[in-house]
Amino acid sequence: MANHLYDALFGRHEGSGRDFLILPDDSRVSHADFAGRAAGFAGALVAAGLGPGDRVALQLEKSVDMLAVIAGAIRAGVVFLPLNTAYTAAEVAYFVADAGAKLLLCDGRAEASLAPVAAGCGAALAVLNADGTGSFGEAARAAGSVPVAARTAGDLAALLYTSGTTGRSKGAMMSHGNLLSNAEVLTEYWRFTEDDVLLHALPIFHTHGLFVATNVALLAGCPMIFLPKFDAAEVIRHLPQATAMMGVPTFYTRLLDDPRLTRDLVDKMRIFISGSAPLLAETHRQWEARTGHRILERYGMTETNMNTSNPCAGERRAGTVGFPLPGVELKICDAEGRELPRGEIGTIEVRGPNVFQGYWNMPEKTAEELRPNGFFITGDLGVIDADGYVSIVGRARDLIISGGFNVYPKEVEMALDALPGILESAVIGAPHPDFGEAVVAVVVPESGTKPDPEAIRAALGKSLAKFKQPKHIALRATLPRNTMGKVQKVALRDELKDVFAP
Ligand code: AMP
């Protein structure tokens, strides 16, 4: 039976002995081996009582088996929610409950803390460790073969949670068609072929490493050097074997800090791609001077997959994100959705087969951001120059992107305001030499108290993932506000822009 995404990504490689994954110790996983593991996990999902449309949540360390669970879920028609490994048990509880997941998969080390979460949400819990051990690994090995579930382009494949400015996370519904259409466009636009070798050091709980990188490699039929995380020394060790790398800007700044990055090292490389956060024009220049390569920057987001890209063959312009991808319509609009003349700054709106189906169980939120004519209001502020290159000039929603991870100020503010002795707070991002941006909290104490920043930090450690915790806390008597009573974050950003200056 036809399964739109599974057939295109995995099905056609099923019997192939060619390499799919190259692991850090240089051992290989062939497509046939990987498909066998995916089929086992599909069987284990079915044995656990999940069928097409049911949800499985996974908070797992990046591993071959984590990827095989995802392939198995697609094969079985089960909708998967990959969760950042940095999320605390309280955060995981929200996602599992909101998605109504029937099953939560975790690493053995997290079992004790997540057992009450699963029980509280009425979900089953199973363990899968990075080395394949654990109850779910055993279930996969014992599972009988189950048929590939029939799925069409319109069926849901994944729920990717992206926090909202209101503090409530939203599950972006990605269909089989959304994911496959974007992967097809990117594979062709970036000219990936089976002769490529993609260096993969991104996490696979986020759209960048999971869909952009992995799906492009699968469609092209090229192997991936599959590293558990970004480590500059490990990346440098593997670069001579690779022809392509996709990374967040932090990868590029960290590699530039290493004297072993030379032209000779990247002799075989065809393309370096950057996205998920703004790449400084300065980094672009330094990279070219050191390696001879102009980084190709592209722009996308969880809800839309990739929207724009600099060209493969034409000029890759530093500080821009290139042109709308084939099939993607992109407009710069005012608040009412009216298109602005070229050269004016406004909100970026996009439409195309890449744009998601809406937010899970949140019809009002969906209606606020997805227009009836199909255009999605991205919340990013952009401008198009005379040659058609798009630049991102800001983020309407004040999103902070620290080391490639999104931090929504409202969520951190709510955690701060809940602490004793704190009257109110404002959270902003400040330029940081390593993370691009880092979280800064401006805290107003209740009168007569003087909270200790170290104690605040320790308290937040219990409720927020590390990347969301403020790296600088400033105590103030009041917050700057405009006449409408809104906190003026622009003023705070300006005042605190140098707190991480070297
Ligand atoms: P996410 O949903 O985690 O992928 O984050 C999406 C957001 O990252 C976008 O809405 C942009 O604000 C930002 N973003 C992604 N790529 C770029 C880029 N190349 N330049 C500037 N911002 C980017």
Side-chain angles (χ1 to χ4, degrees), residues 348-367:
I348 298 176
E349 297 196 10
V350 293
R351 177 165 73 180
N354 52 314
V355 173
F356 76 141
Q357 308 298 303
Y359 295 113
W360 178 257
N361 278 344
M362 288 188 178
E364 306 82 24
K365 282 277 163 218
T366 303

Side-chain angles (χ1 to χ4, degrees), residues 206-207 276-278 297-302 321 380 392 395 401 406:
H206 182 270
T207 187
S276 289
E297 186 170 8
R298 94 303 181 274
Y299 155 67
M301 59 200 305
T302 300
V321 293
D380 289 313
I392 313 289
R395 292 188 297 269
I401 302 183
N406 290 357

